[in-house]
Amino acid sequence: MKKVPRSEEQFKELLTPDEYAVLREKGTEAPFTGEYIHEKADGTYECKACGNPLFSSDAKFDSGTGWPSFDSALPGAVTTHTDSSFGMSRTEINCARCGSHLGHVFDDGPTPTGKRYCINSVCLDLDAK
């Protein structure tokens, strides 16, 4: 996948301060505050920082955790990394195109994939059908 050649200054100009804090500084939005928690529209969720298609609305489910959750990502859309911050061991999810932080993936999903991609709404745009 072709990478997005943006500097941090360019990301700061493109994103709001809240978006920048989560996407580029690995922050987390407060639970139950995000725009897409209860969204039911069909479409594709894209990276707010670069427009990379990340998740299909068909993969979205209500996890009750306070963040939009998906049971799978689109092929090649995300990368994963071990996140040992805050004394925990989690798997961080990043956009494969621009490297922005999206959230974390857990192995406790209720669908056959067994995955729960827990994603910050502020990191997403919905391209509705």
Side-chain angles (χ1 to χ4, degrees):
M1 175 174 295
K2 187 175 179 181
K3 302 293 182 186
V4 173
R6 287 194 178 118
S7 69
E8 286 309 308
E9 284 306 312
Q10 289 171 315
F11 279 117
K12 282 182 183 179
E13 291 174 12
L14 173 72
L15 302 168
T16 68
D18 288 340
E19 292 165 352
Y20 187 85
V22 175
L23 284 155
R24 304 304 300 169
E25 297 178 331
K26 301 184 180 198
T28 301
E29 68 189 0
F32 302 101
T33 63
E35 169 181 11
Y36 295 119
I37 298 168
H38 303 294
E39 182 62 58
K40 303 283 190 215
D42 290 337
T44 302
Y45 289 88
E46 300 173 340
C47 177
K48 176 78 83 170
C50 73
N52 184 31
L54 300 169
F55 302 97
S56 168
S57 60
D58 293 338
K60 191 171 185 286
F61 67 95
D62 182 1
S63 66
T65 61
W67 293 277
S69 296
F70 303 86
D71 68 2
S72 61
L74 294 173
V78 300
T79 59
T80 60
H81 307 277
T82 300
D83 175 2
S84 301
S85 62
F86 305 107
M88 297 182 270
S89 181
R90 302 176 289 175
T91 302
E92 178 185 2
I93 301 300
N94 297 90
C95 173
R97 184 183 290 161
C98 70
S100 291
H101 171 79
L102 303 169
H104 294 87
V105 63
F106 302 94
D107 291 323
D108 61 4
T111 69
T113 69
K115 300 292 184 190
R116 176 173 53 93
Y117 289 80
C118 189
I119 308 298
N120 294 283
S121 283
V122 74
C123 297
L124 302 171
D125 275 328
L126 175 59
D127 182 10
K129 289 182 182 175

